[in-house]
Amino acid sequence: MTYCAACGARLTKAAGPDPDDRHWVCPTCGRAYYRSAKPCAGALIEQDGAVLLVRRNIAPFRDHWDIPGGYLHETEHPADGARREVREETGLRVELTQLLGIFLDRYGSNDSYTFNVYYRARPVGGTLQPADDAAEACWFAAAALPTPIAFPGHIPQVLAVWQAAVAANPHPDPAADSTLAVHLMDEPV
C-alpha cells in the first residue's frame, strides 16, 4: 500500500525501536497500516502410507510439487479452507485427522508473508482429478518424496514434520484430537 485509503496522502514508514515492526503511517491523518501475514491452510492427504502432492500450474514455483492448499476466505476457518482447497485442487473430499502445525513463509520472491495451517487428512470421497492451480496429483511414499518442492522456506519443514507424525502415529483418530474443533463466531464483525 502506497497511499492512505482515508485521505489519499502518500504513506511513510513508521519509525520504531523494533526493526520487525513493519507498519506505515499517514503523515496527514495519522492512520496506521500494519502488514500482516496472509492466512492459508492445506492438508497432507494420506493413503496407504503415502501422501498426495500436487504439481503447481501457476507461479510462483510453477511445475514444483506442493501440498494442496491456499489462501483462506475472509471469514473461513482454516479447517474449512483446507477441505475446500483440497476439493478444488484434487477433486477429493477429505476428513481432517490431526492438526499438523503452523508455519510462516514468504509467498514467492515478493515481500508478502503467509501464515500456513496444515492438517493431516484422509480421503472420504470424490474422484482424484487435478484442477484449479494443480496440473498433476500423485501419491508419494514418505521415504520417496519428489523434487523440486515448492516454497522451500517451509514446505520441506512441513514434510519433515509430517514424516515424524506418521512414524509416531500412522493412523490418527480425529475424534481424539481436540485441535480439530472448529470455533466460529456467531456473526462476522
Side-chain angles (χ1 to χ4, degrees), residues 43-53 68 86 92 94-98 100 119-124 139-140 142 161-167 169-173:
L44 290 101
I45 307 156
E46 303 168 4
Q47 183 171 280
D48 301 324
V51 64
L52 183 67
L53 299 177
V86 165
L92 296 177
V94 295
E95 174 185 37
L96 303 180
T97 59
Q98 185 179 41
L100 184 66
Y119 298 91
R120 292 175 69 186
R122 62 179 164 229
V124 294
W139 295 97
F140 295 94
V161 170
W162 172 76
Q163 288 168 320
V166 168
N169 185 3
H171 304 289
D173 178 9

PDB file of all heavy atoms in Angstrom, residues 43-53 68 86 92 94-98 100 119-124 139-140 142 161-167 169-173:
ATOM      1  N   ALA A  43      -3.671 -29.440   3.455  1.00  0.00           N
ATOM      2  CA  ALA A  43      -3.807 -30.770   4.052  1.00  0.00           C
ATOM      3  C   ALA A  43      -2.853 -31.753   3.400  1.00  0.00           C
ATOM      4  O   ALA A  43      -2.703 -31.783   2.177  1.00  0.00           O
ATOM      5  CB  ALA A  43      -5.235 -31.270   3.912  1.00  0.00           C
ATOM      6  N   LEU A  44      -2.222 -32.548   4.261  1.00  0.00           N
ATOM      7  CA  LEU A  44      -1.400 -33.660   3.801  1.00  0.00           C
ATOM      8  C   LEU A  44      -2.304 -34.881   3.801  1.00  0.00           C
ATOM      9  O   LEU A  44      -2.621 -35.444   4.848  1.00  0.00           O
ATOM     10  CB  LEU A  44      -0.179 -33.833   4.715  1.00  0.00           C
ATOM     11  CG  LEU A  44       0.789 -32.666   4.525  1.00  0.00           C
ATOM     12  CD1 LEU A  44       0.660 -31.662   5.627  1.00  0.00           C
ATOM     13  CD2 LEU A  44       2.182 -33.155   4.358  1.00  0.00           C
ATOM     14  N   ILE A  45      -2.769 -35.249   2.614  1.00  0.00           N
ATOM     15  CA  ILE A  45      -3.737 -36.324   2.450  1.00  0.00           C
ATOM     16  C   ILE A  45      -2.969 -37.641   2.414  1.00  0.00           C
ATOM     17  O   ILE A  45      -2.063 -37.821   1.598  1.00  0.00           O
ATOM     18  CB  ILE A  45      -4.542 -36.127   1.151  1.00  0.00           C
ATOM     19  CG1 ILE A  45      -5.140 -34.722   1.123  1.00  0.00           C
ATOM     20  CG2 ILE A  45      -5.617 -37.191   1.021  1.00  0.00           C
ATOM     21  CD1 ILE A  45      -5.432 -34.225  -0.267  1.00  0.00           C
ATOM     22  N   GLU A  46      -3.352 -38.542   3.307  1.00  0.00           N
ATOM     23  CA  GLU A  46      -2.629 -39.806   3.472  1.00  0.00           C
ATOM     24  C   GLU A  46      -3.480 -40.983   3.015  1.00  0.00           C
ATOM     25  O   GLU A  46      -4.686 -41.014   3.249  1.00  0.00           O
ATOM     26  CB  GLU A  46      -2.282 -40.004   4.947  1.00  0.00           C
ATOM     27  CG  GLU A  46      -1.480 -38.876   5.537  1.00  0.00           C
ATOM     28  CD  GLU A  46      -1.396 -38.942   7.050  1.00  0.00           C
ATOM     29  OE1 GLU A  46      -1.905 -39.905   7.655  1.00  0.00           O
ATOM     30  OE2 GLU A  46      -0.806 -38.023   7.643  1.00  0.00           O
ATOM     31  N   GLN A  47      -2.797 -41.932   2.370  1.00  0.00           N
ATOM     32  CA  GLN A  47      -3.456 -43.177   1.977  1.00  0.00           C
ATOM     33  C   GLN A  47      -2.389 -44.249   1.824  1.00  0.00           C
ATOM     34  O   GLN A  47      -1.424 -44.042   1.076  1.00  0.00           O
ATOM     35  CB  GLN A  47      -4.208 -42.975   0.658  1.00  0.00           C
ATOM     36  CG  GLN A  47      -4.976 -44.189   0.199  1.00  0.00           C
ATOM     37  CD  GLN A  47      -5.860 -43.845  -0.978  1.00  0.00           C
ATOM     38  OE1 GLN A  47      -6.927 -43.293  -0.808  1.00  0.00           O
ATOM     39  NE2 GLN A  47      -5.392 -44.160  -2.182  1.00  0.00           N
ATOM     40  N   ASP A  48      -2.552 -45.346   2.558  1.00  0.00           N
ATOM     41  CA  ASP A  48      -1.613 -46.473   2.481  1.00  0.00           C
ATOM     42  C   ASP A  48      -0.161 -46.034   2.686  1.00  0.00           C
ATOM     43  O   ASP A  48       0.746 -46.478   1.970  1.00  0.00           O
ATOM     44  CB  ASP A  48      -1.764 -47.208   1.140  1.00  0.00           C
ATOM     45  CG  ASP A  48      -3.175 -47.751   0.940  1.00  0.00           C
ATOM     46  OD1 ASP A  48      -3.789 -48.175   1.937  1.00  0.00           O
ATOM     47  OD2 ASP A  48      -3.652 -47.733  -0.216  1.00  0.00           O
ATOM     48  N   GLY A  49       0.079 -45.149   3.630  1.00  0.00           N
ATOM     49  CA  GLY A  49       1.432 -44.698   3.944  1.00  0.00           C
ATOM     50  C   GLY A  49       2.010 -43.679   2.994  1.00  0.00           C
ATOM     51  O   GLY A  49       3.172 -43.300   3.111  1.00  0.00           O
ATOM     52  N   ALA A  50       1.220 -43.207   2.036  1.00  0.00           N
ATOM     53  CA  ALA A  50       1.700 -42.222   1.066  1.00  0.00           C
ATOM     54  C   ALA A  50       0.965 -40.902   1.263  1.00  0.00           C
ATOM     55  O   ALA A  50      -0.098 -40.847   1.891  1.00  0.00           O
ATOM     56  CB  ALA A  50       1.474 -42.741  -0.353  1.00  0.00           C
ATOM     57  N   VAL A  51       1.539 -39.846   0.705  1.00  0.00           N
ATOM     58  CA  VAL A  51       0.939 -38.515   0.777  1.00  0.00           C
ATOM     59  C   VAL A  51       0.657 -38.039  -0.649  1.00  0.00           C
ATOM     60  O   VAL A  51       1.427 -38.328  -1.576  1.00  0.00           O
ATOM     61  CB  VAL A  51       1.860 -37.513   1.517  1.00  0.00           C
ATOM     62  CG1 VAL A  51       3.164 -37.279   0.769  1.00  0.00           C
ATOM     63  CG2 VAL A  51       1.146 -36.200   1.798  1.00  0.00           C
ATOM     64  N   LEU A  52      -0.440 -37.303  -0.804  1.00  0.00           N
ATOM     65  CA  LEU A  52      -0.811 -36.770  -2.113  1.00  0.00           C
ATOM     66  C   LEU A  52      -0.253 -35.357  -2.254  1.00  0.00           C
ATOM     67  O   LEU A  52      -0.551 -34.487  -1.448  1.00  0.00           O
ATOM     68  CB  LEU A  52      -2.336 -36.737  -2.269  1.00  0.00           C
ATOM     69  CG  LEU A  52      -2.853 -36.265  -3.624  1.00  0.00           C
ATOM     70  CD1 LEU A  52      -2.483 -37.277  -4.711  1.00  0.00           C
ATOM     71  CD2 LEU A  52      -4.356 -36.063  -3.575  1.00  0.00           C
ATOM     72  N   LEU A  53       0.580 -35.171  -3.272  1.00  0.00           N
ATOM     73  CA  LEU A  53       1.113 -33.844  -3.576  1.00  0.00           C
ATOM     74  C   LEU A  53       0.638 -33.435  -4.963  1.00  0.00           C
ATOM     75  O   LEU A  53       0.309 -34.286  -5.797  1.00  0.00           O
ATOM     76  CB  LEU A  53       2.643 -33.843  -3.519  1.00  0.00           C
ATOM     77  CG  LEU A  53       3.256 -34.195  -2.166  1.00  0.00           C
ATOM     78  CD1 LEU A  53       4.783 -34.223  -2.267  1.00  0.00           C
ATOM     79  CD2 LEU A  53       2.803 -33.232  -1.079  1.00  0.00           C
ATOM     80  N   PRO A  68      -1.522 -29.654  -1.267  1.00  0.00           N
ATOM     81  CA  PRO A  68      -2.771 -28.985  -1.619  1.00  0.00           C
ATOM     82  C   PRO A  68      -3.162 -27.973  -0.533  1.00  0.00           C
ATOM     83  O   PRO A  68      -3.195 -28.306   0.648  1.00  0.00           O
ATOM     84  CB  PRO A  68      -3.794 -30.121  -1.703  1.00  0.00           C
ATOM     85  CG  PRO A  68      -2.978 -31.353  -1.929  1.00  0.00           C
ATOM     86  CD  PRO A  68      -1.675 -31.114  -1.222  1.00  0.00           C
ATOM     87  N   VAL A  86      -8.416 -28.577  -0.910  1.00  0.00           N
ATOM     88  CA  VAL A  86      -8.183 -29.949  -1.359  1.00  0.00           C
ATOM     89  C   VAL A  86      -9.192 -30.331  -2.432  1.00  0.00           C
ATOM     90  O   VAL A  86      -8.833 -30.889  -3.478  1.00  0.00           O
ATOM     91  CB  VAL A  86      -8.232 -30.941  -0.174  1.00  0.00           C
ATOM     92  CG1 VAL A  86      -8.358 -32.381  -0.663  1.00  0.00           C
ATOM     93  CG2 VAL A  86      -7.011 -30.775   0.713  1.00  0.00           C
ATOM     94  N   LEU A  92     -10.938 -34.401  -4.407  1.00  0.00           N
ATOM     95  CA  LEU A  92     -11.228 -35.295  -3.278  1.00  0.00           C
ATOM     96  C   LEU A  92     -11.930 -34.556  -2.139  1.00  0.00           C
ATOM     97  O   LEU A  92     -11.654 -33.382  -1.887  1.00  0.00           O
ATOM     98  CB  LEU A  92      -9.935 -35.915  -2.743  1.00  0.00           C
ATOM     99  CG  LEU A  92      -9.162 -36.824  -3.688  1.00  0.00           C
ATOM    100  CD1 LEU A  92      -7.873 -37.292  -3.027  1.00  0.00           C
ATOM    101  CD2 LEU A  92     -10.017 -38.012  -4.105  1.00  0.00           C
ATOM    102  N   VAL A  94     -12.127 -34.758   1.928  1.00  0.00           N
ATOM    103  CA  VAL A  94     -11.265 -35.338   2.956  1.00  0.00           C
ATOM    104  C   VAL A  94     -11.842 -35.112   4.349  1.00  0.00           C
ATOM    105  O   VAL A  94     -12.615 -34.191   4.580  1.00  0.00           O
ATOM    106  CB  VAL A  94      -9.832 -34.748   2.914  1.00  0.00           C
ATOM    107  CG1 VAL A  94      -9.130 -35.121   1.623  1.00  0.00           C
ATOM    108  CG2 VAL A  94      -9.819 -33.255   3.141  1.00  0.00           C
ATOM    109  N   GLU A  95     -11.418 -35.996   5.242  1.00  0.00           N
ATOM    110  CA  GLU A  95     -11.660 -35.839   6.667  1.00  0.00           C
ATOM    111  C   GLU A  95     -10.329 -35.441   7.285  1.00  0.00           C
ATOM    112  O   GLU A  95      -9.307 -36.112   7.064  1.00  0.00           O
ATOM    113  CB  GLU A  95     -12.141 -37.154   7.283  1.00  0.00           C
ATOM    114  CG  GLU A  95     -12.261 -37.093   8.790  1.00  0.00           C
ATOM    115  CD  GLU A  95     -12.622 -38.446   9.392  1.00  0.00           C
ATOM    116  OE1 GLU A  95     -12.137 -39.487   8.878  1.00  0.00           O
ATOM    117  OE2 GLU A  95     -13.358 -38.440  10.383  1.00  0.00           O
ATOM    118  N   LEU A  96     -10.324 -34.343   8.031  1.00  0.00           N
ATOM    119  CA  LEU A  96      -9.114 -33.939   8.727  1.00  0.00           C
ATOM    120  C   LEU A  96      -8.939 -34.844   9.929  1.00  0.00           C
ATOM    121  O   LEU A  96      -9.882 -35.096  10.674  1.00  0.00           O
ATOM    122  CB  LEU A  96      -9.211 -32.480   9.160  1.00  0.00           C
ATOM    123  CG  LEU A  96      -9.477 -31.477   8.031  1.00  0.00           C
ATOM    124  CD1 LEU A  96      -9.541 -30.062   8.584  1.00  0.00           C
ATOM    125  CD2 LEU A  96      -8.450 -31.588   6.921  1.00  0.00           C
ATOM    126  N   THR A  97      -7.722 -35.336  10.125  1.00  0.00           N
ATOM    127  CA  THR A  97      -7.476 -36.291  11.211  1.00  0.00           C
ATOM    128  C   THR A  97      -6.618 -35.726  12.325  1.00  0.00           C
ATOM    129  O   THR A  97      -6.646 -36.241  13.439  1.00  0.00           O
ATOM    130  CB  THR A  97      -6.811 -37.565  10.655  1.00  0.00           C
ATOM    131  OG1 THR A  97      -5.579 -37.205  10.013  1.00  0.00           O
ATOM    132  CG2 THR A  97      -7.736 -38.278   9.676  1.00  0.00           C
ATOM    133  N   GLN A  98      -5.829 -34.679  12.029  1.00  0.00           N
ATOM    134  CA  GLN A  98      -4.949 -34.124  13.052  1.00  0.00           C
ATOM    135  C   GLN A  98      -4.407 -32.784  12.585  1.00  0.00           C
ATOM    136  O   GLN A  98      -4.113 -32.608  11.394  1.00  0.00           O
ATOM    137  CB  GLN A  98      -3.786 -35.091  13.297  1.00  0.00           C
ATOM    138  CG  GLN A  98      -2.862 -34.715  14.417  1.00  0.00           C
ATOM    139  CD  GLN A  98      -1.766 -35.759  14.596  1.00  0.00           C
ATOM    140  OE1 GLN A  98      -1.209 -36.267  13.630  1.00  0.00           O
ATOM    141  NE2 GLN A  98      -1.465 -36.087  15.837  1.00  0.00           N
ATOM    142  N   LEU A 100      -1.426 -30.636  12.065  1.00  0.00           N
ATOM    143  CA  LEU A 100      -0.006 -30.937  11.941  1.00  0.00           C
ATOM    144  C   LEU A 100       0.845 -29.797  12.495  1.00  0.00           C
ATOM    145  O   LEU A 100       1.804 -30.021  13.215  1.00  0.00           O
ATOM    146  CB  LEU A 100       0.354 -31.200  10.481  1.00  0.00           C
ATOM    147  CG  LEU A 100       1.796 -31.619  10.239  1.00  0.00           C
ATOM    148  CD1 LEU A 100       2.074 -32.991  10.862  1.00  0.00           C
ATOM    149  CD2 LEU A 100       2.103 -31.648   8.762  1.00  0.00           C
ATOM    150  N   TYR A 119      -2.959 -29.599   8.134  1.00  0.00           N
ATOM    151  CA  TYR A 119      -3.629 -30.725   8.767  1.00  0.00           C
ATOM    152  C   TYR A 119      -3.212 -32.017   8.093  1.00  0.00           C
ATOM    153  O   TYR A 119      -2.881 -32.022   6.902  1.00  0.00           O
ATOM    154  CB  TYR A 119      -5.155 -30.596   8.624  1.00  0.00           C
ATOM    155  CG  TYR A 119      -5.733 -29.381   9.276  1.00  0.00           C
ATOM    156  CD1 TYR A 119      -5.887 -28.190   8.581  1.00  0.00           C
ATOM    157  CD2 TYR A 119      -6.147 -29.422  10.611  1.00  0.00           C
ATOM    158  CE1 TYR A 119      -6.428 -27.069   9.184  1.00  0.00           C
ATOM    159  CE2 TYR A 119      -6.697 -28.299  11.222  1.00  0.00           C
ATOM    160  CZ  TYR A 119      -6.831 -27.134  10.500  1.00  0.00           C
ATOM    161  OH  TYR A 119      -7.364 -26.022  11.102  1.00  0.00           O
ATOM    162  N   ARG A 120      -3.290 -33.113   8.833  1.00  0.00           N
ATOM    163  CA  ARG A 120      -3.258 -34.441   8.238  1.00  0.00           C
ATOM    164  C   ARG A 120      -4.703 -34.761   7.865  1.00  0.00           C
ATOM    165  O   ARG A 120      -5.640 -34.328   8.534  1.00  0.00           O
ATOM    166  CB  ARG A 120      -2.720 -35.466   9.222  1.00  0.00           C
ATOM    167  CG  ARG A 120      -1.245 -35.266   9.541  1.00  0.00           C
ATOM    168  CD  ARG A 120      -0.751 -36.209  10.597  1.00  0.00           C
ATOM    169  NE  ARG A 120      -0.714 -37.593  10.106  1.00  0.00           N
ATOM    170  CZ  ARG A 120      -0.424 -38.628  10.874  1.00  0.00           C
ATOM    171  NH1 ARG A 120      -0.153 -38.467  12.169  1.00  0.00           N
ATOM    172  NH2 ARG A 120      -0.404 -39.853  10.360  1.00  0.00           N
ATOM    173  N   ALA A 121      -4.885 -35.523   6.792  1.00  0.00           N
ATOM    174  CA  ALA A 121      -6.237 -35.819   6.324  1.00  0.00           C
ATOM    175  C   ALA A 121      -6.257 -37.171   5.624  1.00  0.00           C
ATOM    176  O   ALA A 121      -5.211 -37.718   5.266  1.00  0.00           O
ATOM    177  CB  ALA A 121      -6.710 -34.728   5.363  1.00  0.00           C
ATOM    178  N   ARG A 122      -7.470 -37.691   5.430  1.00  0.00           N
ATOM    179  CA  ARG A 122      -7.641 -38.917   4.642  1.00  0.00           C
ATOM    180  C   ARG A 122      -8.821 -38.720   3.707  1.00  0.00           C
ATOM    181  O   ARG A 122      -9.798 -38.045   4.037  1.00  0.00           O
ATOM    182  CB  ARG A 122      -7.816 -40.126   5.533  1.00  0.00           C
ATOM    183  CG  ARG A 122      -9.021 -40.093   6.425  1.00  0.00           C
ATOM    184  CD  ARG A 122      -9.104 -41.377   7.258  1.00  0.00           C
ATOM    185  NE  ARG A 122     -10.016 -41.181   8.362  1.00  0.00           N
ATOM    186  CZ  ARG A 122      -9.752 -41.490   9.620  1.00  0.00           C
ATOM    187  NH1 ARG A 122      -8.611 -42.030   9.955  1.00  0.00           N
ATOM    188  NH2 ARG A 122     -10.645 -41.288  10.552  1.00  0.00           N
ATOM    189  N   PRO A 123      -8.747 -39.323   2.511  1.00  0.00           N
ATOM    190  CA  PRO A 123      -9.842 -39.176   1.554  1.00  0.00           C
ATOM    191  C   PRO A 123     -11.087 -39.912   2.038  1.00  0.00           C
ATOM    192  O   PRO A 123     -10.992 -41.012   2.587  1.00  0.00           O
ATOM    193  CB  PRO A 123      -9.304 -39.799   0.266  1.00  0.00           C
ATOM    194  CG  PRO A 123      -8.033 -40.482   0.604  1.00  0.00           C
ATOM    195  CD  PRO A 123      -7.645 -40.104   1.985  1.00  0.00           C
ATOM    196  N   VAL A 124     -12.249 -39.287   1.827  1.00  0.00           N
ATOM    197  CA  VAL A 124     -13.527 -39.920   2.182  1.00  0.00           C
ATOM    198  C   VAL A 124     -14.508 -39.896   1.011  1.00  0.00           C
ATOM    199  O   VAL A 124     -15.625 -40.380   1.144  1.00  0.00           O
ATOM    200  CB  VAL A 124     -14.165 -39.267   3.431  1.00  0.00           C
ATOM    201  CG1 VAL A 124     -13.311 -39.517   4.665  1.00  0.00           C
ATOM    202  CG2 VAL A 124     -14.417 -37.785   3.223  1.00  0.00           C
ATOM    203  N   TRP A 139       0.606 -39.710  -5.638  1.00  0.00           N
ATOM    204  CA  TRP A 139       0.889 -40.233  -4.309  1.00  0.00           C
ATOM    205  C   TRP A 139       2.379 -40.531  -4.198  1.00  0.00           C
ATOM    206  O   TRP A 139       2.973 -41.106  -5.118  1.00  0.00           O
ATOM    207  CB  TRP A 139       0.081 -41.502  -4.065  1.00  0.00           C
ATOM    208  CG  TRP A 139      -1.401 -41.274  -4.041  1.00  0.00           C
ATOM    209  CD1 TRP A 139      -2.271 -41.461  -5.073  1.00  0.00           C
ATOM    210  CD2 TRP A 139      -2.164 -40.804  -2.941  1.00  0.00           C
ATOM    211  NE1 TRP A 139      -3.547 -41.137  -4.681  1.00  0.00           N
ATOM    212  CE2 TRP A 139      -3.505 -40.729  -3.365  1.00  0.00           C
ATOM    213  CE3 TRP A 139      -1.849 -40.436  -1.625  1.00  0.00           C
ATOM    214  CZ2 TRP A 139      -4.535 -40.304  -2.530  1.00  0.00           C
ATOM    215  CZ3 TRP A 139      -2.883 -40.010  -0.791  1.00  0.00           C
ATOM    216  CH2 TRP A 139      -4.198 -39.951  -1.239  1.00  0.00           C
ATOM    217  N   PHE A 140       2.968 -40.167  -3.045  1.00  0.00           N
ATOM    218  CA  PHE A 140       4.386 -40.408  -2.803  1.00  0.00           C
ATOM    219  C   PHE A 140       4.562 -41.047  -1.433  1.00  0.00           C
ATOM    220  O   PHE A 140       3.967 -40.593  -0.445  1.00  0.00           O
ATOM    221  CB  PHE A 140       5.187 -39.104  -2.841  1.00  0.00           C
ATOM    222  CG  PHE A 140       5.181 -38.450  -4.193  1.00  0.00           C
ATOM    223  CD1 PHE A 140       4.253 -37.468  -4.501  1.00  0.00           C
ATOM    224  CD2 PHE A 140       6.098 -38.836  -5.167  1.00  0.00           C
ATOM    225  CE1 PHE A 140       4.234 -36.864  -5.752  1.00  0.00           C
ATOM    226  CE2 PHE A 140       6.091 -38.236  -6.416  1.00  0.00           C
ATOM    227  CZ  PHE A 140       5.152 -37.250  -6.710  1.00  0.00           C
ATOM    228  N   ALA A 142       6.397 -41.799   2.064  1.00  0.00           N
ATOM    229  CA  ALA A 142       7.053 -40.861   2.980  1.00  0.00           C
ATOM    230  C   ALA A 142       8.563 -40.829   2.768  1.00  0.00           C
ATOM    231  O   ALA A 142       9.196 -39.788   2.941  1.00  0.00           O
ATOM    232  CB  ALA A 142       6.724 -41.214   4.426  1.00  0.00           C
ATOM    233  N   VAL A 161       8.028 -32.657   9.333  1.00  0.00           N
ATOM    234  CA  VAL A 161       7.139 -32.783  10.497  1.00  0.00           C
ATOM    235  C   VAL A 161       6.090 -33.863  10.212  1.00  0.00           C
ATOM    236  O   VAL A 161       5.769 -34.679  11.074  1.00  0.00           O
ATOM    237  CB  VAL A 161       6.484 -31.427  10.847  1.00  0.00           C
ATOM    238  CG1 VAL A 161       5.376 -31.584  11.874  1.00  0.00           C
ATOM    239  CG2 VAL A 161       7.544 -30.449  11.348  1.00  0.00           C
ATOM    240  N   TRP A 162       5.575 -33.891   8.981  1.00  0.00           N
ATOM    241  CA  TRP A 162       4.597 -34.919   8.605  1.00  0.00           C
ATOM    242  C   TRP A 162       5.212 -36.316   8.694  1.00  0.00           C
ATOM    243  O   TRP A 162       4.597 -37.242   9.234  1.00  0.00           O
ATOM    244  CB  TRP A 162       4.068 -34.655   7.187  1.00  0.00           C
ATOM    245  CG  TRP A 162       3.228 -35.778   6.686  1.00  0.00           C
ATOM    246  CD1 TRP A 162       1.945 -36.067   7.036  1.00  0.00           C
ATOM    247  CD2 TRP A 162       3.630 -36.793   5.767  1.00  0.00           C
ATOM    248  NE1 TRP A 162       1.517 -37.197   6.385  1.00  0.00           N
ATOM    249  CE2 TRP A 162       2.539 -37.664   5.598  1.00  0.00           C
ATOM    250  CE3 TRP A 162       4.810 -37.043   5.075  1.00  0.00           C
ATOM    251  CZ2 TRP A 162       2.585 -38.769   4.762  1.00  0.00           C
ATOM    252  CZ3 TRP A 162       4.862 -38.145   4.233  1.00  0.00           C
ATOM    253  CH2 TRP A 162       3.761 -38.990   4.089  1.00  0.00           C
ATOM    254  N   GLN A 163       6.429 -36.485   8.166  1.00  0.00           N
ATOM    255  CA  GLN A 163       7.092 -37.795   8.231  1.00  0.00           C
ATOM    256  C   GLN A 163       7.232 -38.260   9.685  1.00  0.00           C
ATOM    257  O   GLN A 163       6.976 -39.420   9.998  1.00  0.00           O
ATOM    258  CB  GLN A 163       8.470 -37.733   7.564  1.00  0.00           C
ATOM    259  CG  GLN A 163       8.394 -37.623   6.053  1.00  0.00           C
ATOM    260  CD  GLN A 163       9.728 -37.281   5.418  1.00  0.00           C
ATOM    261  OE1 GLN A 163      10.487 -36.469   5.940  1.00  0.00           O
ATOM    262  NE2 GLN A 163       9.999 -37.894   4.271  1.00  0.00           N
ATOM    263  N   ALA A 164       7.613 -37.360  10.583  1.00  0.00           N
ATOM    264  CA  ALA A 164       7.746 -37.710  12.006  1.00  0.00           C
ATOM    265  C   ALA A 164       6.383 -38.037  12.611  1.00  0.00           C
ATOM    266  O   ALA A 164       6.265 -38.977  13.416  1.00  0.00           O
ATOM    267  CB  ALA A 164       8.410 -36.571  12.768  1.00  0.00           C
ATOM    268  N   ALA A 165       5.347 -37.301  12.220  1.00  0.00           N
ATOM    269  CA  ALA A 165       3.997 -37.551  12.742  1.00  0.00           C
ATOM    270  C   ALA A 165       3.482 -38.916  12.292  1.00  0.00           C
ATOM    271  O   ALA A 165       2.865 -39.643  13.083  1.00  0.00           O
ATOM    272  CB  ALA A 165       3.042 -36.443  12.297  1.00  0.00           C
ATOM    273  N   VAL A 166       3.737 -39.273  11.043  1.00  0.00           N
ATOM    274  CA  VAL A 166       3.306 -40.579  10.532  1.00  0.00           C
ATOM    275  C   VAL A 166       4.047 -41.703  11.250  1.00  0.00           C
ATOM    276  O   VAL A 166       3.460 -42.727  11.600  1.00  0.00           O
ATOM    277  CB  VAL A 166       3.512 -40.664   9.004  1.00  0.00           C
ATOM    278  CG1 VAL A 166       3.341 -42.084   8.499  1.00  0.00           C
ATOM    279  CG2 VAL A 166       2.556 -39.732   8.286  1.00  0.00           C
ATOM    280  N   ALA A 167       5.348 -41.511  11.493  1.00  0.00           N
ATOM    281  CA  ALA A 167       6.124 -42.529  12.202  1.00  0.00           C
ATOM    282  C   ALA A 167       5.611 -42.709  13.631  1.00  0.00           C
ATOM    283  O   ALA A 167       5.543 -43.833  14.137  1.00  0.00           O
ATOM    284  CB  ALA A 167       7.605 -42.149  12.219  1.00  0.00           C
ATOM    285  N   ASN A 169       2.473 -41.826  14.768  1.00  0.00           N
ATOM    286  CA  ASN A 169       1.046 -42.163  14.809  1.00  0.00           C
ATOM    287  C   ASN A 169       0.550 -42.347  13.374  1.00  0.00           C
ATOM    288  O   ASN A 169       0.039 -41.407  12.767  1.00  0.00           O
ATOM    289  CB  ASN A 169       0.266 -41.058  15.524  1.00  0.00           C
ATOM    290  CG  ASN A 169      -1.196 -41.396  15.695  1.00  0.00           C
ATOM    291  OD1 ASN A 169      -1.656 -42.477  15.339  1.00  0.00           O
ATOM    292  ND2 ASN A 169      -1.950 -40.457  16.244  1.00  0.00           N
ATOM    293  N   PRO A 170       0.689 -43.570  12.820  1.00  0.00           N
ATOM    294  CA  PRO A 170       0.335 -43.778  11.414  1.00  0.00           C
ATOM    295  C   PRO A 170      -1.143 -43.596  11.095  1.00  0.00           C
ATOM    296  O   PRO A 170      -1.489 -43.287   9.958  1.00  0.00           O
ATOM    297  CB  PRO A 170       0.772 -45.210  11.123  1.00  0.00           C
ATOM    298  CG  PRO A 170       1.382 -45.745  12.357  1.00  0.00           C
ATOM    299  CD  PRO A 170       1.259 -44.741  13.437  1.00  0.00           C
ATOM    300  N   HIS A 171      -2.021 -43.781  12.074  1.00  0.00           N
ATOM    301  CA  HIS A 171      -3.462 -43.689  11.816  1.00  0.00           C
ATOM    302  C   HIS A 171      -4.134 -42.846  12.902  1.00  0.00           C
ATOM    303  O   HIS A 171      -4.768 -43.382  13.811  1.00  0.00           O
ATOM    304  CB  HIS A 171      -4.086 -45.085  11.764  1.00  0.00           C
ATOM    305  CG  HIS A 171      -3.434 -45.978  10.762  1.00  0.00           C
ATOM    306  ND1 HIS A 171      -3.574 -45.797   9.410  1.00  0.00           N
ATOM    307  CD2 HIS A 171      -2.594 -47.030  10.916  1.00  0.00           C
ATOM    308  CE1 HIS A 171      -2.866 -46.711   8.772  1.00  0.00           C
ATOM    309  NE2 HIS A 171      -2.265 -47.465   9.659  1.00  0.00           N
ATOM    310  N   PRO A 172      -4.014 -41.514  12.831  1.00  0.00           N
ATOM    311  CA  PRO A 172      -4.595 -40.670  13.878  1.00  0.00           C
ATOM    312  C   PRO A 172      -6.117 -40.772  13.905  1.00  0.00           C
ATOM    313  O   PRO A 172      -6.763 -40.951  12.868  1.00  0.00           O
ATOM    314  CB  PRO A 172      -4.145 -39.262  13.499  1.00  0.00           C
ATOM    315  CG  PRO A 172      -3.831 -39.324  12.052  1.00  0.00           C
ATOM    316  CD  PRO A 172      -3.389 -40.729  11.772  1.00  0.00           C
ATOM    317  N   ASP A 173      -6.668 -40.676  15.100  1.00  0.00           N
ATOM    318  CA  ASP A 173      -8.120 -40.729  15.304  1.00  0.00           C
ATOM    319  C   ASP A 173      -8.631 -39.302  15.472  1.00  0.00           C
ATOM    320  O   ASP A 173      -8.335 -38.658  16.476  1.00  0.00           O
ATOM    321  CB  ASP A 173      -8.434 -41.550  16.556  1.00  0.00           C
ATOM    322  CG  ASP A 173      -9.924 -41.604  16.866  1.00  0.00           C
ATOM    323  OD1 ASP A 173     -10.741 -41.154  16.027  1.00  0.00           O
ATOM    324  OD2 ASP A 173     -10.260 -42.096  17.945  1.00  0.00           O
TER     325      ASP A 173
END
